[in-house]
Amino acid sequence: GAAAEGRPVNEELRNLSLSGHVGFDSLPDQLVNKSTSQGFCFNILCVGETGIGKSTLMDTLFNTKFESDPATHNEPGVRLKARSYELQESNVRLKLTIVDTVGFGDQINKDDSYKPIVEYIDAQFEAYLQEELKIKRSLFNYHDTRIHACLYFIAPTGHSLKSLDLVTMKKLDSKVNIIPIIAKADTIAKNELHKFKSKIMSELVSNGVQIYQFPTDEETVAEINATMSVHLPFAVVGSTEEVKVGNKMAKARQYPWGVVQVENENHCDFVKLREMLIRVNMEDLREQTHTHHYELYRRCKLEEMGFKDTDPDSKPFSLQETYEAKRNEFLGELQKKEEEMRQMFVMRVKEKEAELKEAEKELHEKFDLLKRTHQEEKKKVEDKKKELEEEVNSFQKKKAAAQLLQSQAQQSGAQQTKKDKDKKK
Amino acid sequence: MDPLRRSPSPCSSSRPSSPRTPPCEMFGRVGIEAVLDQMKIKAMKMGFEFNIMVVGQSGLGKSTMMNTLFKSKVWKTTLPGSVVPIPQTLQLHSVTHVIEEKGVKLKLTVTDTPGFGDQINNDRCWDPILGYINEQYERYLQEELLITRQRHIPDTRVHCCVYFVPPTGHCLRPLDIECLQRLCRTVNVVPVIARADSLTIEEREAFRRRIQQNMRAHCIDVYPQKCFDEDINDKILNSKIRDRIPFAVVGADREHLVDGRCVLGRKTKWGIIEVENMAHCEFPLLRDLLIRSHLQDLKDVTHNVHYENYRVIRLNESHLLPRGPGWVNLAPASPGQLTTPGPSKTCRRAREDPEDGF
């Protein structure tokens, strides 16, 4: 027989020089082609007060009109509303999901406002984790709903962050990539804007809020990311209305005192936001969500469930033991449930039987009653019949007697008439 | 038609439904297609991995073929006449190189199987090979199951197994059949007719047809597997490939001068066999399949199908009762279990494909 040498022998990492064109430079294209045929998922969470311009900004970013019914201010709590769309640009198919926080900031008591948001984000991680843990799973065509970017809309007060903002962002920063933006930035004067931005950033730092860092480790994007980071939080204006500026139509907001052009970098940071969110870092946002935020969630969740990576030797075993225990627990519960159900079933059967017996007894009684009644009626009828017969009989007798009398009378009458005739002669 | 039909909004803690909405119209460029370049840049920075295994008897030119494929000295080839002892047992031997082309870095691992099929009694000679392949799946699985995982799990799984069929000209030998059957259930197999220069073109064609018949008769499903064709384009492309498998190849790592050109070839007394000349042999088809067009697909099928199949078996191993999703038991695998032939592949798409030919 053949003995097995399971481990590869002699593994060294050498850089080989190629004597000609091999052709694996097509690999990035091969990789990307796979993804284009499947489509990409990108999920944005918009956190901000009602009326702050979340929907308008999304419409502006993606050059389309997503929906039109604005929310009211009467929501009893914060509700997350997710909507999915399919966008296509050249050969790229994007499955975009926009999640809105309806009612955020409207309540008098905002203590629990962050909770539904955290729950939603966790629920998406949980769904992915469940799929990943399945025995028969299909991850390659899983519709990824994990939030890749959280746009946090800061109200343009011009002063500082609200405490709701700080609390919420602090709760979210370990779960999602936060990109803070100042909404409706056309209501802030330019000189105030700079101070506002600095105040916000320093407050974020002093409160230890980790916002998304545009990556600077890759040389092709390092420069643009570094330049853009300086302008955080982006002061944006959203608009889907077009106004004539010069000899072109541009997305803008028209005021009596002037026109705020959305795509004019002197007017607002919309272009910067679009660059960072879509054109430069979309893939990085997705990657960070998967390799950092999701892994953190997974680790916490599994540790919570009692799993550990101890020393290398016993790794599989600690996992195994815990799983065994869980499995037995689960089986025990199943058995208990089964027993309960069986008991209930037996009881129900007994009850039903008793009911049926009752019904049967009643039926028998009814039948007996009916029989008796029938017999009584029959007797009555027979009695009456007898009476009638007797009456008939006596009538017949009377009739016969009467007839006899009548015939006797006739005979004697005839005799008399004959006697009278004889006398006359 | 209303282009803005949207999927119903769910309640807060559930997942949004998968979009079955018609596409949204965008007025003007958004810049979504930039994500493709972003992906490419990231992929190039990370580098690529590719693991290939060559299976076949000694003397069929496996090492030379690898050198020819990757245009470099992957292996030291054994010169004719030199005394190289044939190993008494089958020993797998891997070597890893990093090669770079136009900024694309590829970490290539080639695993050789010297001693395969060389013994007098070759019974179960596939065991070490299957064991090696399964061991790589096991490694990956263990890494994947850790609580604290690496950002990028190193991939040592065999993405492609090139099986060298000796150019007998007749049909597949029992050893080939046994081996191919088992290998195909665990890994992507690309069979080739080795040293095809000893066969004429007509003999090659006849040999190829007979081998194809053998494979059909024994349900040997080689790469590219029909059930993984995703769409009509895939089907057309892959059917052409399937028609020519096994490729009749010749390997060479020496250059010669032919008509003023420098070509890779084998010099014989009756002529120079140009390796990259389609009229001489089908090496370019093999190279294009393995490297230029289907490399990523080989990796994807390994990851999404073969690895998942292995994982299902492993996770189900000591279960005696049916399990729901999420329950896992990781009893350590006993040595005998992993070399038995696994179940047939589950198709990536649930489509039934009634037609046999195309």
Side-chain angles (χ1 to χ4, degrees):
Chain A
E5 170 71 63
R7 201 84 56 88
V9 175
N10 213 24
E11 193 177 324
E12 355 173 296
L13 219 66
R14 309 202 290 261
N15 272 39
L16 271 189
S17 55
L18 305 172
S19 62
H21 177 64
V22 176
F24 59 87
D25 53 338
S26 64
L27 267 177
D29 288 315
Q30 289 183 40
L31 178 65
V32 156
N33 285 342
K34 284 273 159 187
S35 309
T36 39
S37 59
Q38 273 188 316
F40 297 85
C41 282
F42 194 57
N43 309 317
I44 304 178
L45 169 67
C46 293
V47 181
E49 302 168 355
T50 310
I52 206 171
K54 304 188 284 290
S55 310
T56 313
L57 186 66
M58 288 298 111
D59 288 348
T60 322
L61 262 178
F62 291 100
N63 267 336
T64 183
K65 194 93 180 65
F66 283 122
E67 59 162 283
S68 50
D69 38 316
T72 66
H73 288 269
N74 300 329
E75 298 281 341
V78 177
R79 195 166 48 92
L80 272 86
K81 194 163 68 167
R83 294 211 160 120
S84 298
Y85 310 93
E86 263 207 36
L87 303 170
Q88 177 135 8
E89 194 167 83
S90 67
N91 59 340
V92 179
R93 254 187 322 120
L94 184 71
K95 295 179 214 173
L96 177 71
T97 300
I98 298 177
V99 186
D100 200 359
T101 51
V102 180
F104 189 77
D106 279 330
Q107 298 77 31
I108 295 172
N109 182 357
K110 299 188 262 272
D111 277 343
D112 291 342
S113 292
Y114 70 89
K115 284 190 186 156
I117 305 177
V118 169
E119 276 168 14
Y120 181 87
I121 295 175
D122 279 347
Q124 311 318 307
F125 285 145
E126 183 63 30
Y128 190 91
L129 181 64
Q130 285 306 316
E131 184 64 31
E132 201 186 19
L133 286 179
K134 275 190 193 162
I135 294 185
K136 272 215 166 103
R137 59 189 189 179
S138 57
L139 281 175
F140 59 86
N141 62 0
Y142 178 82
H143 174 47
D144 192 2
T145 55
R146 300 172 294 181
I147 301 293
H148 302 122
C150 171
L151 291 179
Y152 196 96
F153 288 68
I154 299 168
T157 59
H159 301 153
S160 61
L161 283 173
K162 299 186 184 168
S163 42
L164 174 64
D165 295 335
L166 276 171
V167 164
T168 310
M169 278 200 269
K170 197 88 179 82
K171 292 282 181 195
L172 295 179
D173 69 354
S174 58
K175 295 194 174 284
V176 75
N177 301 315
I178 299 181
I179 301 177
I181 58 181
I182 300 170
K184 297 198 168 174
D186 52 344
T187 58
I188 310 180
K190 208 164 181 170
N191 53 340
E192 289 173 358
L193 186 62
H194 186 70
K195 264 195 287 191
F196 189 30
K197 282 190 181 183
S198 308
K199 189 78 174 39
I200 291 173
M201 292 311 279
S202 68
E203 279 193 323
L204 288 175
V205 167
S206 58
N207 281 281
V209 174
Q210 305 272 356
I211 60 171
Y212 174 69
Q213 301 294 317
F214 301 126
T216 48
D217 51 353
E218 171 56 45
E219 51 189 38
T220 44
V221 297
E223 201 185 313
I224 190 171
N225 279 337
T227 322
M228 296 283 184
S229 294
V230 166
H231 295 270
L232 278 171
F234 296 132
V236 295
V237 172
S239 174
T240 46
E241 307 280 312
E242 294 209 323
V243 173
K244 194 162 175 120
V245 175
N247 54 355
K248 282 194 293 182
M249 294 300 282
K251 286 195 283 256
R253 286 176 63 78
Q254 179 139 54
Y255 291 104
W257 49 86
V259 175
V260 178
Q261 296 157 39
V262 167
E263 281 168 309
N264 184 335
E265 292 198 63
N266 287 327
H267 289 195
C268 75
D269 296 329
F270 172 82
V271 170
K272 296 191 175 67
L273 175 66
R274 186 177 57 197
E275 279 300 300
M276 290 291 97
L277 182 66
I278 302 175
R279 296 184 186 176
V280 177
N281 298 308
M282 189 188 270
E283 183 59 24
D284 188 70
L285 285 161
R286 281 156 37 99
E287 195 184 290
Q288 287 301 320
T289 305
H290 180 63
T291 59
H292 178 67
H293 296 295
Y294 169 70
E295 286 295 313
L296 184 62
Y297 175 85
R298 177 182 174 273
R299 190 161 69 234
C300 293
K301 196 68 200 296
L302 291 180
E303 279 173 1
E304 215 178 281
M305 280 164 51
F307 298 114
K308 279 191 290 283
D309 287 336
T310 49
D311 50 294
D313 296 320
S314 63
K315 245 184 321 233
F317 290 94
S318 69
L319 220 68
Q320 180 196 357
E321 272 164 21
T322 327
Y323 268 129
E324 277 288 348
K326 289 235 168 235
R327 192 209 336 175
N328 290 335
E329 192 186 305
F330 177 70
L331 277 179
E333 265 181 44
L334 264 184
Q335 269 183 329
K336 209 170 71 179
K337 273 205 180 131
E338 204 185 316
E339 198 44 49
E340 273 176 37
M341 281 178 101
R342 198 191 330 213
Q343 298 281 23
M344 198 152 74
F345 179 72
V346 167
M347 201 173 71
R348 285 255 181 89
V349 167
K350 280 209 178 105
E351 278 177 25
K352 200 68 186 193
E353 262 181 4
E355 267 178 51
L356 281 174
K357 273 213 173 89
E358 265 300 315
E360 202 184 333
K361 207 168 95 181
E362 264 180 57
L363 266 177
H364 276 303
E365 281 177 12
K366 248 196 191 154
F367 179 69
D368 285 338
L369 183 64
L370 271 174
K371 203 164 156 193
R372 271 202 310 272
T373 322
H374 173 257
Q375 279 180 337
E376 277 172 28
E377 292 285 316
K378 195 169 165 192
K379 186 154 175 286
K380 272 194 195 147
V381 167
E382 280 186 345
D383 285 345
K384 275 226 167 107
K385 195 172 164 192
K386 243 195 209 152
E387 259 178 57
L388 189 64
E389 272 178 26
E390 276 174 23
E391 266 183 45
V392 166
N393 278 345
S394 66
F395 175 72
Q396 295 281 31
K397 276 188 195 149
K398 278 193 186 149
K399 188 176 170 191
Q403 275 181 340
L404 190 65
L405 270 174
Q406 202 180 46
S407 69
Q408 275 180 347
Q410 267 185 341
Q411 255 190 340
S412 70
Q415 273 182 344
Q416 190 66 28
T417 336
K418 199 172 176 200
K419 262 186 195 165
D420 283 346
K421 265 186 186 167
D422 285 341
K423 252 186 190 167
K424 273 181 183 166
K425 284 188 192 163
Chain B
M1 181 174 113
D2 177 16
L4 302 174
R5 272 190 16 239
R6 41 190 187 270
S7 42
S9 54
C11 58
S12 59
S13 305
S14 64
R15 283 157 33 82
S17 52
S18 203
R20 274 179 283 268
T21 56
C24 273
E25 221 187 307
M26 291 186 297
F27 312 101
R29 189 173 162 266
V30 175
I32 298 173
E33 54 182 0
V35 75
L36 296 180
D37 283 332
Q38 295 170 27
M39 277 187 84
K40 280 192 209 172
I41 292 172
K42 276 193 184 284
M44 283 175 59
K45 178 164 181 220
M46 170 91 78
F48 296 84
E49 291 163 310
F50 190 55
N51 309 318
I52 188 171
M53 180 188 266
V54 283
V55 177
Q57 286 170 282
S58 320
L60 286 181
K62 304 193 294 288
S63 316
T64 316
M65 180 56 64
M66 287 299 110
N67 291 349
T68 321
L69 263 177
F70 294 102
K71 291 222 161 71
S72 52
K73 285 264 182 277
V74 177
W75 293 100
K76 269 213 278 285
T77 51
T78 55
L79 297 168
S82 63
V83 180
V84 176
I86 292 179
Q88 290 306 301
T89 57
L90 172 52
Q91 292 196 326
L92 281 88
H93 186 83
S94 286
V95 85
T96 305
H97 298 285
V98 175
I99 44 181
E100 186 173 331
E101 200 168 61
K102 297 214 179 107
V104 177
K105 277 200 268 289
L106 179 66
K107 184 170 154 207
L108 175 72
T109 301
V110 182
T111 306
D112 195 1
T113 54
F116 174 81
D118 287 332
Q119 323 308 328
I120 294 175
N121 182 1
N122 288 307
D123 196 26
R124 302 195 74 85
C125 66
W126 47 82
D127 274 354
I129 300 178
L130 290 174
Y132 175 83
I133 295 172
N134 284 324
E135 194 187 301
Q136 306 319 306
Y137 290 147
E138 182 66 24
R139 269 198 205 176
Y140 195 90
L141 181 65
Q142 290 299 332
E143 286 289 331
E144 203 188 25
L145 286 172
L146 287 178
I147 308 292
T148 310
R149 305 195 280 206
Q150 295 182 55
R151 198 175 172 101
H152 173 73
I153 300 176
D155 193 358
T156 55
R157 302 171 293 186
V158 177
H159 302 128
C160 179
C161 178
V162 183
Y163 190 92
F164 287 69
V165 175
T168 60
H170 302 153
C171 58
L172 287 178
R173 306 164 299 161
L175 172 67
D176 296 329
I177 292 174
E178 287 289 319
C179 221
L180 281 171
Q181 273 181 326
R182 286 173 169 76
L183 283 176
C184 284
R185 284 190 277 241
T186 323
V187 71
N188 295 321
V189 177
V190 177
V192 295
I193 300 172
R195 290 210 182 280
D197 51 329
S198 62
L199 299 170
T200 64
I201 302 290
E202 294 83 15
E203 284 168 348
R204 283 184 208 171
E205 273 312 306
F207 190 26
R208 193 204 320 276
R209 295 296 160 212
R210 270 192 290 270
I211 293 178
Q212 285 174 350
Q213 259 176 350
N214 286 157
M215 296 201 297
R216 268 196 297 272
H218 291 96
C219 300
I220 296 172
D221 196 12
V222 299
Y223 182 85
Q225 299 90 340
K226 201 179 277 188
C227 59
F228 300 142
D229 287 343
E230 289 186 28
D231 54 30
I232 195 75
N233 294 327
D234 267 2
K235 236 188 157 96
I236 296 175
L237 179 66
N238 288 344
S239 291
K240 287 206 186 105
I241 296 170
R242 282 191 280 267
D243 192 54
R244 309 290 277 154
I245 283 189
F247 301 132
V249 294
V250 175
D253 46 10
R254 288 246 176 85
E255 291 194 331
H256 306 273
L257 214 61
V258 172
D259 293 339
R261 294 172 297 131
C262 218
V263 292
L264 275 177
R266 273 170 65 77
K267 188 164 181 186
T268 64
K269 290 221 168 72
W270 44 92
I272 294 178
I273 305 159
E274 295 166 51
V275 161
E276 280 171 324
N277 187 338
M278 273 299 290
H280 291 196
C281 79
E282 290 166 345
F283 169 80
L285 290 179
L286 180 68
R287 178 202 54 209
D288 288 348
L289 179 72
L290 290 184
I291 301 177
R292 293 187 185 178
S293 59
H294 285 67
L295 203 156
Q296 186 59 41
D297 189 59
L298 283 161
K299 292 174 63 171
D300 287 341
V301 174
T302 307
H303 181 65
N304 294 330
V305 178
H306 297 295
Y307 169 70
E308 287 295 317
N309 285 346
Y310 175 83
R311 184 177 171 276
V312 168
I313 302 173
R314 271 296 271 136
L315 297 185
N316 272 328
E317 226 141 47
S318 31
H319 287 190
L320 301 166
L321 299 164
R323 285 286 165 273
W327 296 114
V328 167
N329 181 346
L330 284 188
S334 54
Q337 275 173 315
L338 294 174
T339 55
T340 50
S344 50
K345 294 186 275 277
T346 49
C347 285
R348 211 193 289 166
R349 299 280 184 265
R351 268 186 285 142
E352 297 283 296
D353 208 352
E355 49 186 81
D356 208 19
F358 179 77

PDB file of all heavy atoms in Angstrom, chain A residues 46-65:
ATOM      1  N   CYS A  46     -29.863  55.880   7.058  1.00  0.00           N
ATOM      2  CA  CYS A  46     -29.909  57.326   7.263  1.00  0.00           C
ATOM      3  C   CYS A  46     -30.512  57.602   8.630  1.00  0.00           C
ATOM      4  O   CYS A  46     -31.679  57.281   8.870  1.00  0.00           O
ATOM      5  CB  CYS A  46     -30.776  57.988   6.199  1.00  0.00           C
ATOM      6  SG  CYS A  46     -30.070  57.877   4.552  1.00  0.00           S
ATOM      7  N   VAL A  47     -29.698  58.182   9.518  1.00  0.00           N
ATOM      8  CA  VAL A  47     -30.193  58.513  10.843  1.00  0.00           C
ATOM      9  C   VAL A  47     -30.310  60.014  10.947  1.00  0.00           C
ATOM     10  O   VAL A  47     -29.346  60.747  10.722  1.00  0.00           O
ATOM     11  CB  VAL A  47     -29.236  58.003  11.945  1.00  0.00           C
ATOM     12  CG1 VAL A  47     -29.793  58.340  13.313  1.00  0.00           C
ATOM     13  CG2 VAL A  47     -29.027  56.518  11.803  1.00  0.00           C
ATOM     14  N   GLY A  48     -31.517  60.483  11.301  1.00  0.00           N
ATOM     15  CA  GLY A  48     -31.678  61.922  11.425  1.00  0.00           C
ATOM     16  C   GLY A  48     -33.119  62.249  11.733  1.00  0.00           C
ATOM     17  O   GLY A  48     -34.025  61.433  11.538  1.00  0.00           O
ATOM     18  N   GLU A  49     -33.329  63.468  12.210  1.00  0.00           N
ATOM     19  CA  GLU A  49     -34.672  63.886  12.580  1.00  0.00           C
ATOM     20  C   GLU A  49     -35.588  63.912  11.367  1.00  0.00           C
ATOM     21  O   GLU A  49     -35.150  64.049  10.234  1.00  0.00           O
ATOM     22  CB  GLU A  49     -34.635  65.291  13.159  1.00  0.00           C
ATOM     23  CG  GLU A  49     -33.752  65.445  14.368  1.00  0.00           C
ATOM     24  CD  GLU A  49     -33.527  66.909  14.713  1.00  0.00           C
ATOM     25  OE1 GLU A  49     -33.990  67.783  13.956  1.00  0.00           O
ATOM     26  OE2 GLU A  49     -32.873  67.155  15.727  1.00  0.00           O
ATOM     27  N   THR A  50     -36.882  63.869  11.685  1.00  0.00           N
ATOM     28  CA  THR A  50     -37.881  63.990  10.630  1.00  0.00           C
ATOM     29  C   THR A  50     -37.754  65.357   9.978  1.00  0.00           C
ATOM     30  O   THR A  50     -37.650  66.373  10.659  1.00  0.00           O
ATOM     31  CB  THR A  50     -39.279  63.842  11.251  1.00  0.00           C
ATOM     32  OG1 THR A  50     -39.283  62.677  12.068  1.00  0.00           O
ATOM     33  CG2 THR A  50     -40.326  63.703  10.186  1.00  0.00           C
ATOM     34  N   GLY A  51     -37.755  65.343   8.659  1.00  0.00           N
ATOM     35  CA  GLY A  51     -37.742  66.611   7.941  1.00  0.00           C
ATOM     36  C   GLY A  51     -36.364  67.187   7.717  1.00  0.00           C
ATOM     37  O   GLY A  51     -36.223  68.295   7.202  1.00  0.00           O
ATOM     38  N   ILE A  52     -35.318  66.453   8.070  1.00  0.00           N
ATOM     39  CA  ILE A  52     -33.977  67.009   7.961  1.00  0.00           C
ATOM     40  C   ILE A  52     -33.410  66.858   6.560  1.00  0.00           C
ATOM     41  O   ILE A  52     -32.356  67.385   6.238  1.00  0.00           O
ATOM     42  CB  ILE A  52     -33.048  66.349   9.017  1.00  0.00           C
ATOM     43  CG1 ILE A  52     -31.893  67.289   9.372  1.00  0.00           C
ATOM     44  CG2 ILE A  52     -32.543  65.018   8.544  1.00  0.00           C
ATOM     45  CD1 ILE A  52     -31.075  66.814  10.541  1.00  0.00           C
ATOM     46  N   GLY A  53     -34.123  66.102   5.711  1.00  0.00           N
ATOM     47  CA  GLY A  53     -33.688  66.024   4.319  1.00  0.00           C
ATOM     48  C   GLY A  53     -33.068  64.717   3.914  1.00  0.00           C
ATOM     49  O   GLY A  53     -32.303  64.657   2.943  1.00  0.00           O
ATOM     50  N   LYS A  54     -33.388  63.634   4.627  1.00  0.00           N
ATOM     51  CA  LYS A  54     -32.764  62.345   4.327  1.00  0.00           C
ATOM     52  C   LYS A  54     -33.187  61.836   2.953  1.00  0.00           C
ATOM     53  O   LYS A  54     -32.353  61.455   2.130  1.00  0.00           O
ATOM     54  CB  LYS A  54     -33.139  61.308   5.394  1.00  0.00           C
ATOM     55  CG  LYS A  54     -32.785  61.740   6.812  1.00  0.00           C
ATOM     56  CD  LYS A  54     -32.974  60.630   7.817  1.00  0.00           C
ATOM     57  CE  LYS A  54     -34.414  60.374   8.179  1.00  0.00           C
ATOM     58  NZ  LYS A  54     -35.013  61.439   8.976  1.00  0.00           N
ATOM     59  N   SER A  55     -34.505  61.854   2.718  1.00  0.00           N
ATOM     60  CA  SER A  55     -34.991  61.312   1.445  1.00  0.00           C
ATOM     61  C   SER A  55     -34.486  62.140   0.276  1.00  0.00           C
ATOM     62  O   SER A  55     -34.083  61.604  -0.752  1.00  0.00           O
ATOM     63  CB  SER A  55     -36.513  61.293   1.427  1.00  0.00           C
ATOM     64  OG  SER A  55     -36.997  60.692   2.592  1.00  0.00           O
ATOM     65  N   THR A  56     -34.508  63.460   0.439  1.00  0.00           N
ATOM     66  CA  THR A  56     -34.060  64.325  -0.650  1.00  0.00           C
ATOM     67  C   THR A  56     -32.595  64.060  -0.958  1.00  0.00           C
ATOM     68  O   THR A  56     -32.193  64.016  -2.125  1.00  0.00           O
ATOM     69  CB  THR A  56     -34.252  65.806  -0.281  1.00  0.00           C
ATOM     70  OG1 THR A  56     -35.565  65.971   0.260  1.00  0.00           O
ATOM     71  CG2 THR A  56     -34.072  66.696  -1.488  1.00  0.00           C
ATOM     72  N   LEU A  57     -31.803  63.890   0.078  1.00  0.00           N
ATOM     73  CA  LEU A  57     -30.386  63.657  -0.169  1.00  0.00           C
ATOM     74  C   LEU A  57     -30.162  62.357  -0.925  1.00  0.00           C
ATOM     75  O   LEU A  57     -29.328  62.284  -1.837  1.00  0.00           O
ATOM     76  CB  LEU A  57     -29.606  63.634   1.149  1.00  0.00           C
ATOM     77  CG  LEU A  57     -28.096  63.532   0.936  1.00  0.00           C
ATOM     78  CD1 LEU A  57     -27.560  64.785   0.261  1.00  0.00           C
ATOM     79  CD2 LEU A  57     -27.363  63.293   2.243  1.00  0.00           C
ATOM     80  N   MET A  58     -30.912  61.318  -0.558  1.00  0.00           N
ATOM     81  CA  MET A  58     -30.769  60.039  -1.266  1.00  0.00           C
ATOM     82  C   MET A  58     -31.154  60.198  -2.732  1.00  0.00           C
ATOM     83  O   MET A  58     -30.494  59.677  -3.625  1.00  0.00           O
ATOM     84  CB  MET A  58     -31.649  58.973  -0.608  1.00  0.00           C
ATOM     85  CG  MET A  58     -31.134  58.494   0.737  1.00  0.00           C
ATOM     86  SD  MET A  58     -29.528  57.701   0.601  1.00  0.00           S
ATOM     87  CE  MET A  58     -28.526  58.898   1.429  1.00  0.00           C
ATOM     88  N   ASP A  59     -32.255  60.927  -2.953  1.00  0.00           N
ATOM     89  CA  ASP A  59     -32.662  61.168  -4.343  1.00  0.00           C
ATOM     90  C   ASP A  59     -31.551  61.881  -5.098  1.00  0.00           C
ATOM     91  O   ASP A  59     -31.253  61.568  -6.249  1.00  0.00           O
ATOM     92  CB  ASP A  59     -33.927  62.031  -4.384  1.00  0.00           C
ATOM     93  CG  ASP A  59     -35.160  61.259  -3.938  1.00  0.00           C
ATOM     94  OD1 ASP A  59     -35.061  60.017  -3.825  1.00  0.00           O
ATOM     95  OD2 ASP A  59     -36.202  61.889  -3.708  1.00  0.00           O
ATOM     96  N   THR A  60     -30.957  62.855  -4.457  1.00  0.00           N
ATOM     97  CA  THR A  60     -29.922  63.639  -5.130  1.00  0.00           C
ATOM     98  C   THR A  60     -28.679  62.799  -5.388  1.00  0.00           C
ATOM     99  O   THR A  60     -28.095  62.855  -6.465  1.00  0.00           O
ATOM    100  CB  THR A  60     -29.535  64.860  -4.267  1.00  0.00           C
ATOM    101  OG1 THR A  60     -30.692  65.389  -3.642  1.00  0.00           O
ATOM    102  CG2 THR A  60     -28.867  65.923  -5.111  1.00  0.00           C
ATOM    103  N   LEU A  61     -28.280  62.022  -4.393  1.00  0.00           N
ATOM    104  CA  LEU A  61     -27.080  61.192  -4.541  1.00  0.00           C
ATOM    105  C   LEU A  61     -27.192  60.224  -5.701  1.00  0.00           C
ATOM    106  O   LEU A  61     -26.257  60.017  -6.450  1.00  0.00           O
ATOM    107  CB  LEU A  61     -26.854  60.381  -3.256  1.00  0.00           C
ATOM    108  CG  LEU A  61     -25.849  60.907  -2.246  1.00  0.00           C
ATOM    109  CD1 LEU A  61     -25.818  60.004  -1.034  1.00  0.00           C
ATOM    110  CD2 LEU A  61     -24.452  61.006  -2.844  1.00  0.00           C
ATOM    111  N   PHE A  62     -28.376  59.608  -5.797  1.00  0.00           N
ATOM    112  CA  PHE A  62     -28.513  58.560  -6.811  1.00  0.00           C
ATOM    113  C   PHE A  62     -29.269  59.025  -8.035  1.00  0.00           C
ATOM    114  O   PHE A  62     -29.688  58.215  -8.856  1.00  0.00           O
ATOM    115  CB  PHE A  62     -29.169  57.317  -6.194  1.00  0.00           C
ATOM    116  CG  PHE A  62     -28.269  56.638  -5.210  1.00  0.00           C
ATOM    117  CD1 PHE A  62     -28.426  56.840  -3.851  1.00  0.00           C
ATOM    118  CD2 PHE A  62     -27.234  55.828  -5.648  1.00  0.00           C
ATOM    119  CE1 PHE A  62     -27.563  56.239  -2.949  1.00  0.00           C
ATOM    120  CE2 PHE A  62     -26.374  55.220  -4.761  1.00  0.00           C
ATOM    121  CZ  PHE A  62     -26.540  55.436  -3.403  1.00  0.00           C
ATOM    122  N   ASN A  63     -29.443  60.330  -8.144  1.00  0.00           N
ATOM    123  CA  ASN A  63     -30.020  60.897  -9.362  1.00  0.00           C
ATOM    124  C   ASN A  63     -31.331  60.256  -9.741  1.00  0.00           C
ATOM    125  O   ASN A  63     -31.571  59.929 -10.889  1.00  0.00           O
ATOM    126  CB  ASN A  63     -29.055  60.707 -10.542  1.00  0.00           C
ATOM    127  CG  ASN A  63     -28.156  61.918 -10.698  1.00  0.00           C
ATOM    128  OD1 ASN A  63     -28.484  63.003 -10.274  1.00  0.00           O
ATOM    129  ND2 ASN A  63     -27.008  61.701 -11.302  1.00  0.00           N
ATOM    130  N   THR A  64     -32.182  60.051  -8.747  1.00  0.00           N
ATOM    131  CA  THR A  64     -33.459  59.425  -9.066  1.00  0.00           C
ATOM    132  C   THR A  64     -34.481  59.856  -8.043  1.00  0.00           C
ATOM    133  O   THR A  64     -34.186  60.626  -7.145  1.00  0.00           O
ATOM    134  CB  THR A  64     -33.311  57.891  -9.107  1.00  0.00           C
ATOM    135  OG1 THR A  64     -34.551  57.307  -9.496  1.00  0.00           O
ATOM    136  CG2 THR A  64     -32.958  57.348  -7.744  1.00  0.00           C
ATOM    137  N   LYS A  65     -35.693  59.366  -8.204  1.00  0.00           N
ATOM    138  CA  LYS A  65     -36.727  59.714  -7.241  1.00  0.00           C
ATOM    139  C   LYS A  65     -37.162  58.417  -6.579  1.00  0.00           C
ATOM    140  O   LYS A  65     -37.773  57.554  -7.209  1.00  0.00           O
ATOM    141  CB  LYS A  65     -37.912  60.357  -7.984  1.00  0.00           C
ATOM    142  CG  LYS A  65     -38.903  61.049  -7.106  1.00  0.00           C
ATOM    143  CD  LYS A  65     -38.588  62.547  -6.966  1.00  0.00           C
ATOM    144  CE  LYS A  65     -39.593  63.268  -6.085  1.00  0.00           C
ATOM    145  NZ  LYS A  65     -39.568  62.821  -4.699  1.00  0.00           N
TER     146      LYS A  65
END
